[in-house]
Amino acid sequence: MIQLEIEATDLTENEKDEAVQNIQNRLLSLGAKNVSVVSEKEELLTLSYRGHFASEVLEACFSTKGNLEFYEVCTSKELIMDYFKEKYPATDEENLTTDETLGNKDVLEFLKNINIEKTLFGGVIGYVSKENIANLKATSIFKTPIFISSIKRRVKFLLGKDENGVSGLYPVFLTSENEPHLDGSYMKNASYSQSQYSDDQYMIDLQMNEEGAVIWERLTEKVYQERGYIAIVIDDIVYSAPRVSAGAIKGGRTQISGGFTKAEAAILASVIQTRTIPKVKIVKIMEL
């Protein structure tokens, strides 16, 4: 029997009850047995269960909120660069000036941290090195969506998975309500399976509910017609941005392929299946 102590702060009673349920469900989805709440003392929750998991697996499971979102990627580099040039006339991705008197300082700070691609490939407008990510995230342009007046749509920027110290930067469209086109609340089931292309890579399989399936069909049809991409995002990180290559996807089924190991896929499928949890901290794991 294993006992797990978790610290969850600043929660209302309703949020705490929901968090307890989702934490139990995450343990069950990892394969734990006989999961039960031993005690709830203020901000400390103690659970017991049968099963053995590496501490790093538990840490990853509970540090991942599991906020799943789908966005249409803005595939026009010209739209984005025209916006920057309007706000900062000296913008030139090949020879960026540092004269702050020429325009919007926030645009300059944003662009200084990006290596802009000559063409927008795979939905990526540029790349950000690991050492520049904190500076990029501190800019108002990263924090707040921009409004492209020529098409009357809002665009926000999201970073992709770290690949050898570098992350892709994706411009994605928001809906008229400033929301993603689809999110985890429409998911009916999440599981994982082995990739057909590699024995050591896994994918996440998703099944949406009826309403989500209708939204997904419309979104994939639109993106297919425009030869675009859909960004699949977990906790504000783009895990993949596939092109819709065969028309509208019916039935609400899709996969996330992000070069996952079996452990990574199991954790992500678990957190998507069991909905989001607040940020929690594992205080102690002990075997009884």
Side-chain angles (χ1 to χ4, degrees), residues 246-263:
I249 301 174
K250 300 181 180 182
R253 300 187 72 89
T254 193
Q255 291 180 319
I256 307 175
S257 55
F260 304 114
T261 65
K262 185 176 182 179

Side-chain angles (χ1 to χ4, degrees), residues 78-188:
E78 290 73 22
L79 279 176
I80 303 298
M81 296 311 298
D82 285 348
Y83 171 87
F84 288 145
K85 288 173 182 176
E86 177 187 345
K87 301 295 180 183
Y88 190 80
T91 296
D92 178 347
E93 60 264 36
E94 294 182 359
N95 186 27
L96 182 65
T97 178
T98 57
D99 186 350
E100 297 178 3
T101 66
L102 295 178
N104 189 307
K105 183 180 177 181
D106 285 338
V107 172
L108 173 63
E109 289 301 318
F110 183 81
L111 293 173
K112 279 167 60 177
N113 293 289
I114 307 167
N115 290 320
I116 302 289
E117 289 289 279
K118 291 186 180 297
T119 57
L120 199 153
F121 178 74
V124 175
I125 194 171
Y127 291 89
V128 185
S129 62
K130 189 173 183 178
E131 55 268 24
N132 288 335
I133 285 178
N135 291 334
L136 181 79
K137 287 184 173 181
T139 64
S140 62
I141 290 177
F142 190 86
K143 293 178 181 178
T144 306
I146 63 175
F147 182 70
I148 309 293
S149 57
S150 61
I151 57 171
K152 295 181 171 56
R153 297 189 71 180
R154 294 192 184 278
V155 170
K156 70 182 290 186
F157 295 94
L158 292 169
L159 288 164
K161 285 177 61 180
D162 182 296
E163 301 285 352
N164 300 315
V166 177
S167 298
L169 185 70
Y170 296 79
V172 300
F173 287 120
L174 297 171
T175 67
S176 57
E177 291 80 28
N178 286 336
E179 299 289 341
H181 296 78
L182 197 65
D183 63 31
S185 66
Y186 296 96
M187 297 305 117
K188 186 177 179 181

Side-chain angles (χ1 to χ4, degrees), residues 41-62:
K41 296 180 180 178
E42 296 180 352
E43 296 178 343
L44 194 64
L45 172 68
T46 306
L47 302 100
S48 66
Y49 62 91
R50 293 189 182 278
H52 292 275
F53 310 105
S55 58
E56 57 268 25
V57 171
L58 286 173
E59 188 66 44
C61 186
F62 291 114

